[in-house]
Structures are given as structure tokens and as C-alpha cells.
Amino acid sequence: MKRLTRVFPVFGLTFALAISALAADLTGSWVFRRPGPDGTSNDTYFRLKQNGNELSGDVQQRLNLRKIDSGSIDGNHFRFQVTTSFGGQSRVMTYEGTLESDGLHVKMIPPPGMPGRGRGPGGGGRFGPTEMVAVKTSDNEGLPPARIPPPALHDVKYNGLAKTPPMGWNSWNHFHGQIDDAAVRGVADAMVSTGMKDAGYIYVNIDDTWQGKRDASGNITTNHRFPDMKALTDYVHSKGLRIGIYSGPGPLTCAGYEGSYGHEEQDANQYARWGFDYLKYDWCSASAIYQDSDMQAVYQKMGDALEHSGRPILFSLCQYGRDNVWDWGPKVSGNSWRTTGDIQDNWRSMSTIGFSQNDLAKWAAPGHWNDPDMLEVGNGGMTADEYRTHMTLWSMLAAPLLAGNDIRSMNDETKSILLNREVIALDQDRAGHQGHRAAQNGETEIWVKDLANGDIAIAMFNRGDSPADIKAAWADLGMKRAKKVRDLWAHKDIADAATGYSATVPSHGVVALRISK
Ligand code: GLA
């Protein structure tokens, strides 16, 4: 009898374990951490609630929570679906798998033909059926942090930078999440050897994906691809260049790396200690916490932090032109503000963005610029005529000229476009006027920009699919007679153009002129 009572509890425990294995319960939070090569990870959370054989809850990637539309469990096998939206199109993702002793074995099945690239840590591949093992975690791990009330508004002092539109290079358009220390050094070398630096391209800017996690004191660290930021900024400075960094006001950046949320002062001080000269500050996951109407206050917080850092750091606002940023950009000491969503390396994207900037002209001024996004020149998706249009239009707009190609391997055609000093001079004109559309006829447009010395820049654009004759009469554009007319792409003076000029402009091409009284 004594012996039996000793054995019984053990049987009881075994029995209970056997029952719980049969009746799998998926209720709780599960996380799958996909490790990236840079030492960071891209986490997916499954926050599940099981009720009988029904499954509900959310799937969370970055800070985006998506509700499970329908879910079921049969034995230890489960299946659920969530609706996502990509480029305005709704798509249903299916997740299915089994509960095993080491966690949830989940297979993600995208709908057929779903495009897109994962660009976060561990991303970079195409979405396809993806298999993962998610392990149980605490219920609040990874949830968006509590809202920190934004500060009361005040004007931040102008930092004295960007008297003409910023010029330089940025890693995103070409390298995306693949940028590293060696590539930045290589680009800095090439900025000098190709003549980019001498032409005015001064800033070498690291975009998203340099970040590691925060240390125990909350200081931001770098990931494996950037082993020593101070050494890197020293190197870039030794070439006579300046260097830029990237963050955002949310907990995570657009690519899912650590953002500056709640660490604004600490980060600004760190950038200053590292020796950075430029900060691009990207809204992204701040939308999980703040409304668009909070943007000014949220950007002001970093504007203040940069000012207090004691180092002159150019402040580049990136919030895609929302909340009429041009109204308040200068008040947060913003030197430039994005006016649109992301540019892509194709004619449609570039021309739609570029030609839609006309109404913003009055907001551009020395120290504070509209930013229709970075250049794609040399990235391969457009023709030489299209890239000449891109370069000319951005210069007419007094936009930041941030090359987005691989400077280490530019061909002559790309060089001839990015290094066209006569066109760059329009962008960098010290009067700081943004050009405007003076005439439009079908798919042709004439844009005009007044320059500091009284000259006028004229760009004759053909947005159509076949060559077009474009005729400009100076009297219509505010000048009676021209003493000198210079073709800025042919690098030649034009004779017989005292009262006007006609040209056949190739499809998607441009003729750019500078006329002097
Ligand atoms: C946003 C910005 C881009 C780039 C990426 C990086 O999409 O608009 O310019 O900085 O984030 O993740």
C-alpha cells in the first residue's frame, strides 16, 4: 500500500502530460526570429487564442498587426489566414502547420504571383512559401511601446546649413539593405576619384540597415556590417567629404531596424560623437504610435536634440510629404523634407514625382528645400534621355542632388549626367528659387527658373513617346531679348536665338538652356 501511494502521483503526472499533448493549446504569443547576416533579426509574432477548434488572434511583423480572418485547429494541425495589403491591393496569406515539442512549425503560403522583396534583417529574398519555427514568448514582447506624449510646439533655431540644396550620395537606391563599411569607404574614394566631390557632391550618406540593438544603457549600437562608426566617419572626413546617417522617430525604421523612439537626445549625441554631419529621419513605424498631426512635434524633438548635440547636423525630414510638411519643416530646423513617396528607377515613377512639384515652388528657400527623393541616375532602369530629364528637372526644382547609384562603377554616360556642372549650377544657384512650369502643350512642358545673376534657366521637356518640336519665345518667359543662349547638355552657345528657340526634343528627353540678358 505504501508502495502504491508512492507510485500513484507519478502515474498522475504522466497521465496529465499525455492529455495536454493530445489537446494542443496554441493560446499565447509565439515568436519567430529570422536571423540576418548582420547579427540582427526580423521577428514575426503570432498572438493566438484557441477556442475549441477555432483559432483567432493577430500576426505581427515589425509593428504591423494583422488580424486573423479565419483559423482552425484539428489535432495538432492548424491553419489560418490574414489579409495584407500591398500597393493598395489586398492579398490573403495562409499560414499552416503543426504544434511540435520545439514550437509552432509554421509554413507561410503567399497567394500565387505575389511580388515583393523582403528588405529587413534576414530579408532580401522573394516571398515564397516560408517555413519557420516560432517559440513561446511573453505576451507583451515586441508590442508597440506606450505613447510618449509629443512636446509642446516651439520654433527650433535654424542650424545655418544647406544654404544651397544638399548634394552627395545615399546608399538606399542602389544598395538597400546590403550596405556595409567597405562599400561606404569605396564610395567615398570614388566620390573623389571620379570628380563627384569637386562637382559639389559632398555628403556620403548611410541609409537604413546600419543599426544593431541598444546596449544596457540604451545607447544605439551598430550591426556587424559597421564594426567601427568612428573610424568610418574619420575615413570619410579624411577625404574632404561629410557623412550622413539614418534613423526615424518610431521604435523601428522602415526596414525593421532600431529607431530613435524615446532615445532622441541619446541618439543625436551618439551621432555627434561618431562625427556625423547629416541625419535623414524617416517616419515609418512612428505611425503605430502617433497621428500625422503629431508630426511637427515629433520632428521638433529630434530638431532640438540635434541642436543640443553641439554639432552642426543637416536635418533631412522623410515623411513622404504628409501633413503639409513645407508649412512647418523650417520650424523644426528641417533643411529638407520629402514631398512624395519613394522614387523607383523607372520613367513613370520619376516623371510622375518630378512633374508634380510645381505647386511647392514657393516653399523652397536657402536652408530649407523640397525633396522629391534621391536620384536614380545610373541605376539602369531608364534611358540616357530619361536620366537627363531626371537630372535637369531636379536641378530646376532646386532639389537635393543625392546620387543613388554605385559611384565605384559609373560608366561615362552616367558621369556625363551626374557631373554636368552647367546643370548642377542651376540647382546650386544661390538665389534658391525653385523653378516652375511656365507653359504646357500636350505632353511638352517648358519650365523656367530665375537665377541669382539675372539669367534665366529654361528646360523644354518632352514627356511623350515620340520626338516633339518645342518652341520657346523669350518674351513669353519674362525676357525681351537674350544676349547669350547656352545649351547646357550640348555644352555650346546657340547662335540666332535672340528672341526665342525651337528644338526637336527626343521622347522623354529635355533641352536645357541658360539665357542671359
Ligand atoms: C523609406 C524611405 C526610403 C528609404 C527606406 C529605408 O522607404 O522613404 O528613402 O530610406 O525607407 O528603409
Side-chain angles (χ1 to χ4, degrees):
M1 186 64 197
K2 217 176 168 195
R3 203 190 156 107
L4 261 182
T5 43
R6 251 193 285 134
V7 169
F8 229 84
V10 179
F11 279 143
L13 184 63
T14 315
F15 191 51
L17 282 177
I19 287 184
S20 75
L22 282 177
D25 189 359
L26 273 63
T27 300
S29 293
W30 306 81
V31 62
F32 168 62
R33 302 181 210 281
R34 178 185 302 174
D38 57 24
T40 61
S41 69
N42 186 2
D43 305 337
T44 304
Y45 292 90
F46 301 97
R47 306 189 190 279
L48 305 178
K49 191 163 175 9
Q50 183 178 340
N51 189 0
N53 55 7
E54 278 179 20
L55 208 52
S56 58
D58 302 288
V59 176
Q60 181 192 329
Q61 268 159 332
R62 315 250 161 89
L63 295 180
N64 299 325
L65 237 63
R66 296 200 175 95
K67 268 221 143 0
I68 292 177
D69 300 331
S70 62
S72 61
I73 172 153
D74 180 5
N76 76 339
H77 183 266
F78 61 87
R79 181 184 160 88
F80 53 84
Q81 294 190 311
V82 296
T83 306
T84 62
S85 115
F86 279 92
Q89 251 191 310
S90 290
R91 292 169 196 270
V92 176
M93 312 286 281
T94 304
Y95 294 83
E96 64 176 25
T98 52
L99 175 61
E100 307 287 349
S101 55
D102 59 345
L104 282 187
H105 287 227
V106 191
K107 193 167 174 187
M108 183 192 83
I109 306 159
M114 190 178 103
R117 264 184 305 152
R119 63 183 186 186
R126 300 227 147 235
F127 284 119
T130 302
E131 293 182 32
M132 46 194 137
V133 179
V135 297
K136 203 68 174 269
T137 182
S138 70
D139 280 348
N140 48 12
E141 196 207 296
L143 284 175
R147 181 176 194 270
I148 302 171
L153 294 179
H154 65 93
D155 288 358
V156 184
K157 206 171 107 218
Y158 167 50
N159 57 18
L161 300 171
K163 290 268 162 57
T164 60
M167 286 181 70
W169 171 88
N170 172 292
S171 59
W172 187 255
N173 284 354
H174 179 81
F175 290 88
H176 298 274
Q178 308 302 317
I179 188 66
D180 62 13
D181 179 282
V184 174
R185 285 171 190 250
V187 165
D189 293 345
M191 294 292 274
V192 177
S193 63
T194 57
M196 290 284 284
K197 178 189 150 200
D198 286 346
Y201 295 89
I202 288 295
Y203 290 97
V204 173
N205 294 344
I206 305 167
D207 206 277
D208 206 349
T209 77
W210 61 267
Q211 307 88 333
K213 291 290 174 197
R214 293 190 180 275
D215 70 15
S217 322
N219 295 309
I220 187 71
T221 66
T222 56
N223 66 45
H224 298 170
R225 285 181 283 122
F226 290 90
D228 187 342
M229 271 307 192
K230 182 69 175 76
L232 180 58
T233 65
D234 284 347
Y235 184 80
V236 172
H237 288 147
S238 77
K239 302 271 152 183
L241 296 160
R242 297 184 191 154
I243 181 161
I245 197 161
Y246 166 101
S247 189
L252 298 177
T253 64
C254 290
Y257 287 72
E258 198 73 18
S260 292
Y261 184 68
H263 294 273
E264 293 80 0
E265 287 267 343
Q266 204 172 8
D267 285 359
N269 292 338
Q270 180 65 274
Y271 307 149
R273 271 198 303 277
W274 276 333
F276 281 99
D277 309 296
Y278 185 120
L279 172 67
K280 172 174 170 183
Y281 204 50
D282 193 349
W283 185 249
C284 253
S285 76
S287 58
I289 292 166
Y290 295 116
Q291 306 293 313
D292 278 17
S293 52
D294 296 321
M295 280 180 173
Q296 178 176 350
V298 168
Y299 275 87
Q300 172 191 299
K301 203 169 182 184
M302 184 49 94
D304 278 335
L306 292 176
E307 190 194 345
H308 298 157
S309 79
R311 188 176 171 89
I313 297 180
L314 193 151
F315 193 21
S316 154
L317 278 43
C318 178
Q319 36 76 287
Y320 338 114
R322 277 155 48 179
D323 195 37
N324 292 334
V325 57
W326 34 86
D327 280 339
W328 51 263
K331 296 185 188 165
V332 301
S333 79
N335 298 109
S336 66
W337 45 82
R338 280 273 296 277
T339 57
T340 73
D342 288 12
I343 195 170
Q344 283 159 23
D345 185 20
N346 62 65
W347 166 253
R348 195 187 149 94
S349 164
M350 182 280 288
S351 63
T352 307
I353 288 177
F355 288 109
S356 68
Q357 303 297 298
N358 191 50
D359 295 343
L360 298 177
K362 69 172 177 189
W363 305 104
H368 314 285
W369 308 100
N370 292 308
D371 173 9
D373 207 359
M374 303 167 296
L375 298 174
E376 291 283 9
V377 176
N379 278 334
M382 288 184 250
T383 66
D385 276 321
E386 292 170 342
Y387 283 140
R388 278 189 282 270
T389 290
H390 188 8
M391 182 75 187
T392 310
L393 185 50
W394 263 237
S395 297
M396 293 296 282
L397 293 172
L401 294 181
L402 295 169
N405 58 319
D406 189 350
I407 305 294
R408 300 170 305 179
S409 55
M410 288 192 285
N411 62 24
D412 288 345
E413 188 176 86
T414 300
K415 284 187 198 158
S416 74
I417 297 171
L418 288 175
L419 292 168
N420 184 333
R421 289 180 183 232
E422 297 193 85
V423 171
I424 292 172
L426 306 184
D427 183 76
Q428 294 294 301
D429 187 75
R430 69 187 148 79
H433 298 306
Q434 174 170 329
H436 65 276
R437 182 186 287 113
Q440 185 167 19
N441 180 7
E443 301 202 278
T444 68
E445 302 189 7
I446 300 178
W447 285 59
V448 171
K449 175 175 177 161
D450 293 327
L451 302 173
N453 69 349
D455 287 2
I456 298 182
I458 293 187
M460 309 195 319
F461 294 107
N462 174 13
R463 298 174 67 178
D465 291 334
S466 40
D469 294 328
I470 306 184
K471 199 169 174 173
W474 309 148
D476 297 342
L477 304 172
M479 193 180 272
K480 285 199 191 95
R481 285 184 69 81
K483 199 162 137 207
K484 183 176 157 196
V485 177
R486 176 113 180 130
D487 182 327
L488 307 183
W489 284 109
H491 301 294
K492 281 201 294 238
D493 291 347
I494 299 173
D496 302 327
T499 57
Y501 184 60
S502 301
T504 304
V505 182
S507 160
H508 298 179
V510 62
V511 167
L513 306 172
R514 181 174 184 133
I515 62 178
S516 317
K517 287 176 193 160

